[in-house]
């Protein structure tokens, strides 16, 4: 099952959010093989929060970047392996699988990775060194040999080589002397055990021995373990009993979970390690190996209420675009494969989404119909905008029936949640529904804010012009403007930043940076064409 994200434009309005929300409902019904997730590319304005609260719905989750990151390729914990476990346990993992790196825990937290390089280093050292010395613990020796401790010594852990009981006692004693207190492994022979006890080796392991020997170990300061496993296998297992923690070796630098895919790939390629840990702040969250970077992932995305890269979620150029559902002019992104596009000259993307329900023979439930109706009414300003078509009116009537909402009453409720511009934060009012357009060499940004009064607009216009200039500078715009629409009177005012083309605007200038636009309600159909005409 693939995750497919449905996103509206940046600084989304109600039509953008409601169409993403409802289209995800439809797609999840008609395509259960995939998971469709509605998302928003920007933070919610206070107005959007109030309007969605009226719908008793959660706004789509926040996803402002679809550029592949470490989070999209990292691996999690597949094996529950702890630092004090014997190396023997890790060998069994490698016997059935071929991991390049295995996370190791201590006190419930991951402390690093055991890599294939550390594994090979351990194996080579054991076989290349004459009489290697091991860091041993009684606990792990008992564990790997499945033995019984019949006498516990003073030391729980110690460094020691290994000696097997040999045919001649003198050779056995000589080996103990030369190897400086080794662990001895032998089948029970009293004279051999006497020598090991006398020489106070740290541990005696009696192999192929089921019973507790009739022997007095009271003077012995080491540990005695019995096991039913034969001597050769017991020796092999004890060699593999050192704690994993002591064999992990050097750890590479960690990657941050939000580092880009390219950063992670380059960092790992330039390091000497097979794997690197991934952290989120101070918390270990996963790891990456070189296999993680064999193929660059791509988010699967459906665009609603827009089709231009400049208006879309960041990183859209790296994504796999599957569909476009929109009602704006086409200035589409390039795609590698043919895609489904439903672009219609209607007043709301939610109208198009409703008709998608109709085409697929799916009736929206009451809640989804309410969300769709809200999107239609907000984008067409209760069907008063000049962008409104008969198709929108038919959709609104059908959604009114399905949701049980009266069109006029519900529309007024939605707009009654609009905060007066004089009380709104300028940045929120400007960016809550802000779109960027490119025409030739001019980069233009137009925001739209719907209200129920122009009261005192000339008093607060200067601070809005100042904030528009800040937004323009931050976004690299040549010209920025805010269209303030009175939804009751059906007219707008235009607040603009200083620009040489202001004089060409076909509107009456009422104050510095403020223009009157009677009977203008649509940014797309009425304002934008006039602004673009000033470029010619």
């Amino acid at each position: 099952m693939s995750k497919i994200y449905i996103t509206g434009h940046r600084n989304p309005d109600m039509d953008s959010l409601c169409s993403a929300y409802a289209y995800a409902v439809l797609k999840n019904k008609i395509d259960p093989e995939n998971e469709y997730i509605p998302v928003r590319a920007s933070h919610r304005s206070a107005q959007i929060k109030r309007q969605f609260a009226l719908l008793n719905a959660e706004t789509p989750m926040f996803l402002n970047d679809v550029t592949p990151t470490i989070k999209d390729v990292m691996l999690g914990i597949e094996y529950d392996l702890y630092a004090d476990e014997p190396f023997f346990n890790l060998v069994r993992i490698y016997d059935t699988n071929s991991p390049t790196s295995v996370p190791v825990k201590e006190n419930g937290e991951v402390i690093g990775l055991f890599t294939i390089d550390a594994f090979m280093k351990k194996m080579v050292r054991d076989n290349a060194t004459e009489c290697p010395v091991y860091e041993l613990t009684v606990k792990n020796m008992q564990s790997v040999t499945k033995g019984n401790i019949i006498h516990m010594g003073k030391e729980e852990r110690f460094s020691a080589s290994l000696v097997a009981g040999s045919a001649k006692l003198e050779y056995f004693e000589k080996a103990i002397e030369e190897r400086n207190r080794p662990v001895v492994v032998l089948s029970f022979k009293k004279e051999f055990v006497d020598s090991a006890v006398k020489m106070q080796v740290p541990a005696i392991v009696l192999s192929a021995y089921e019973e507790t020997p009739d022997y007095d170990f009271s003077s012995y300061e080491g540990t005695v373990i019995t096991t039913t496993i034969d001597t050769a296998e017991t020796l092999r297992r004890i060699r593999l009993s050192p704690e994993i923690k002591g064999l992990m070796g050097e750890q590479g630098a960690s990657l941050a979970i939000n580092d880009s895919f390219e950063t992670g790939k380059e960092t790992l390629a330039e390091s000497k390690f097979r794997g690197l840990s991934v952290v989120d702040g101070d918390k270990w969250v996963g790891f990456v190996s070189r296999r993680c970077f064999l193929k660059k992932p791509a988010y699967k995305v459906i665009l609603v209420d827009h089709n231009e890269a400049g208006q879309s979620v960041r990183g859209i150029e790296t994504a796999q675009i599957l569909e476009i559902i929109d009602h704006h002019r086409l200035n589409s992104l390039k795609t590698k494969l043919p895609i489904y596009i439903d672009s219609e000259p209607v007043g709301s993307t939610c109208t198009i989404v409703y008709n998608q329900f109709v085409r697929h023979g799916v009736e929206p439930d009451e809640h989804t119909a309410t969300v769709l109706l809200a999107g239609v009414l907000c984008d067409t300003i209760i069907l008063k905008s000049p962008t409104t078509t008969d198709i929108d009116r038919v959709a609104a009537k059908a959604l009114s029936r399905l949701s049980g909402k009266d069109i006029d009453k519900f529309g007024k409720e939605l707009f009654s949640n609009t905060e007066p511009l004089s009380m709104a934060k300028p940045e929120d009012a400007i960016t809550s529904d802000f779109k960027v357009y490119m025409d030739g060499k001019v980069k233009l940004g137009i925001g739209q804010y719907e209200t129920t009064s122009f009261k005192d607009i000339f008093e607060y216009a200067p601070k809005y012009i100042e904030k528009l200039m800040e937004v323009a500078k931050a976004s690299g715009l040549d010209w920025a403007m805010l269209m303030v629409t009175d939804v009751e009177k059906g007219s707008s005012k235009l607040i603009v930043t200083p620009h040489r083309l202001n004089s060409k605007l076909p509107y009456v200038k009422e104050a510095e940076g403020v223009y009157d636009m009677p009977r203008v309600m649509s940014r797309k159909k009425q304002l934008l064409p006039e602004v673009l005409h000033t470029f010619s």
Side-chain angles (χ1 to χ4, degrees):
M1 177 178 285
S2 294
K3 288 186 177 181
I4 299 172
Y5 298 93
I6 304 179
T7 180
H9 52 76
R10 297 182 197 176
N11 309 311
D13 56 8
M14 283 292 285
D15 189 38
S16 185
L17 293 172
C18 292
S19 58
Y21 185 106
Y23 199 49
V25 172
L26 173 63
K27 296 295 286 187
N28 281 317
K29 286 185 177 181
I30 63 176
D31 181 18
E33 298 301 314
N34 294 296
E35 179 184 7
Y36 292 84
I37 305 168
V39 297
R40 53 186 169 87
S42 302
H43 293 293
R44 300 162 297 172
S45 67
Q47 179 178 333
I48 291 292
K49 291 178 182 178
R50 289 192 295 271
Q51 289 173 323
F52 260 81
L54 180 64
L55 303 180
N56 194 27
E58 289 290 329
T59 52
M61 76 172 199
F62 180 61
L63 179 67
N64 69 335
D65 199 333
V66 293
T67 305
T69 65
I70 296 300
K71 178 176 63 177
D72 300 314
V73 296
M74 71 180 187
L75 304 171
I77 296 176
E78 187 175 351
Y79 312 100
D80 220 22
L81 198 66
Y82 280 82
D84 61 351
E85 287 187 51
F87 180 68
F88 178 79
N89 292 359
L90 189 64
V91 170
R92 289 192 291 183
I93 290 175
Y94 277 96
D95 182 46
T96 55
N97 298 282
S98 301
T100 56
S101 302
V102 180
V104 179
K105 294 180 182 179
E106 187 171 57
N107 299 322
E109 299 292 332
V110 174
I111 61 171
L113 301 175
F114 198 106
T115 66
I116 187 66
D117 294 323
F119 184 94
M120 294 304 298
K121 187 175 181 180
K122 155 72 175 168
M123 302 305 292
V124 169
R125 184 174 62 240
D126 283 2
N127 290 282
T129 305
E130 186 176 348
C131 302
V133 174
Y134 303 92
E135 298 299 321
L136 303 173
T137 66
V138 172
K139 174 186 172 184
N140 283 355
M141 289 170 60
Q142 178 193 19
S143 173
V144 298
T145 60
K146 298 180 180 180
N148 294 313
I149 299 173
I150 63 171
H151 180 79
M152 185 65 200
K154 294 181 178 180
E155 297 178 275
E156 162 59 27
R157 57 180 63 237
F158 36 80
S159 300
S161 59
L162 303 178
V163 167
S166 59
K168 292 188 176 182
L169 181 61
E170 59 181 295
Y171 293 151
F172 177 68
E173 292 176 338
K174 181 180 180 182
I176 292 176
E177 290 177 354
E178 291 177 348
R179 298 187 186 181
N180 189 22
R181 301 183 69 242
V183 168
V184 299
V185 180
L186 69 164
S187 56
F188 184 76
K189 298 176 183 177
K190 186 175 183 305
E191 63 273 25
F192 282 71
V193 173
D194 287 341
S195 294
V197 169
K198 180 179 178 181
M199 302 175 80
Q200 291 295 335
V201 297
I204 299 170
V205 181
L206 301 176
S207 56
Y209 203 88
E210 293 187 23
E211 303 173 359
T212 300
D214 183 15
Y215 190 93
D216 182 10
F217 287 104
S218 60
S219 63
Y220 178 49
E221 297 180 356
T223 295
V224 181
I225 299 173
T226 62
T227 176
T228 59
I229 299 171
D230 65 70
T231 301
E233 178 61 12
T234 299
L235 281 166
R236 186 186 74 85
R237 293 192 178 203
I238 293 176
R239 290 176 65 189
L240 299 175
S241 72
E243 292 179 334
I244 290 170
K245 181 178 181 179
L247 304 171
M248 288 173 63
E250 183 183 357
Q251 298 291 304
S254 297
L255 293 168
I257 190 171
N258 290 321
D259 282 346
S260 70
F261 176 88
E262 299 298 339
T263 296
K265 182 178 181 180
E266 182 178 341
T267 301
L268 185 55
E270 291 178 352
S271 77
K272 62 181 180 180
F273 302 100
R274 303 280 185 128
L276 295 175
S277 291
V278 179
V279 296
D280 186 0
D282 295 329
K283 185 179 180 182
W284 190 97
V285 291
F287 72 99
V288 290
S289 67
R290 294 179 183 179
R291 293 178 184 175
C292 296
F293 299 102
L294 293 177
K295 183 179 180 181
K296 186 175 182 178
Y299 280 68
K300 294 182 177 180
V301 179
I302 293 174
L303 307 184
V304 295
D305 200 32
H306 73 295
N307 64 82
E308 299 182 41
Q311 296 178 3
S312 197
V313 61
R314 284 202 300 267
I316 192 65
E317 66 281 354
T318 68
Q320 181 185 356
I321 300 171
L322 303 181
E323 299 181 27
I324 295 175
I325 309 294
D326 193 19
H327 68 135
H328 296 94
R329 66 171 189 164
L330 285 175
N331 190 16
S332 299
L333 305 101
K334 292 182 179 179
T335 61
K336 294 180 180 179
L337 298 170
I339 66 170
Y340 178 79
I341 297 177
D342 189 347
S343 178
E344 301 180 36
V346 294
S348 167
T349 303
C350 282
T351 296
I352 303 174
V353 172
Y354 166 68
N355 285 325
Q356 286 287 334
F357 273 87
V358 174
R359 289 169 193 167
H360 287 282
V362 178
E363 183 175 281
D365 58 60
E366 181 180 333
H367 179 70
T368 304
T370 301
V371 171
L372 282 168
L373 182 60
V376 173
L377 297 182
C378 284
D379 222 36
T380 63
I381 312 180
I382 319 179
L383 305 178
K384 296 176 183 176
S385 169
T387 60
T388 308
T389 67
D390 288 341
I391 298 173
D392 296 296
R393 294 184 184 94
V394 170
K397 185 177 180 180
L399 291 168
S400 172
R401 175 181 56 80
L402 292 168
S403 65
K405 301 286 186 183
D406 177 80
I407 290 176
D408 190 58
K409 182 180 178 181
F410 184 48
K412 288 179 178 178
E413 286 179 354
L414 287 166
F415 284 103
S416 69
N417 281 278
T418 302
E419 190 174 35
L421 196 62
S422 58
M423 296 175 60
K425 293 181 179 179
E427 185 174 7
D428 290 345
I430 292 167
T431 61
S432 63
D433 182 11
F434 193 79
K435 293 186 178 180
V436 176
Y437 306 92
M438 192 77 185
D439 193 278
K441 295 182 179 180
V442 179
K443 191 175 182 183
L444 166 72
I446 306 177
Q448 184 169 19
Y449 190 83
E450 288 144 355
T451 185
T452 54
S453 174
F454 291 141
K455 185 180 179 182
D456 301 327
I457 190 169
F458 301 114
E459 292 183 17
Y460 54 75
K463 68 178 182 180
Y464 274 84
I465 293 173
E466 182 180 349
K467 183 56 68 174
L468 274 168
M469 292 172 68
E470 292 178 14
V471 171
K473 183 178 181 180
S475 303
L477 304 177
D478 302 297
W479 201 7
M481 50 189 69
L482 176 64
M483 179 180 178
V484 184
T485 301
D486 186 327
V487 298
E488 293 184 353
K489 294 181 178 179
S491 293
S492 299
K493 303 287 186 183
L494 186 65
I495 303 175
V496 300
T497 58
H499 194 274
R500 60 181 176 80
L501 295 177
N502 283 348
S503 60
K504 290 189 175 184
L505 291 170
Y507 309 117
V508 176
K509 183 177 179 180
E510 296 186 310
E512 192 60 43
V514 182
Y515 294 81
D516 184 33
M517 299 193 299
R519 296 180 298 282
V520 174
M521 300 179 71
S522 171
R523 169 178 50 191
K524 174 182 65 175
K525 192 169 183 178
Q526 293 174 293
L527 174 59
L528 182 60
E530 295 293 348
V531 173
L532 295 179
H533 183 66
T534 66
F535 298 162
S536 59

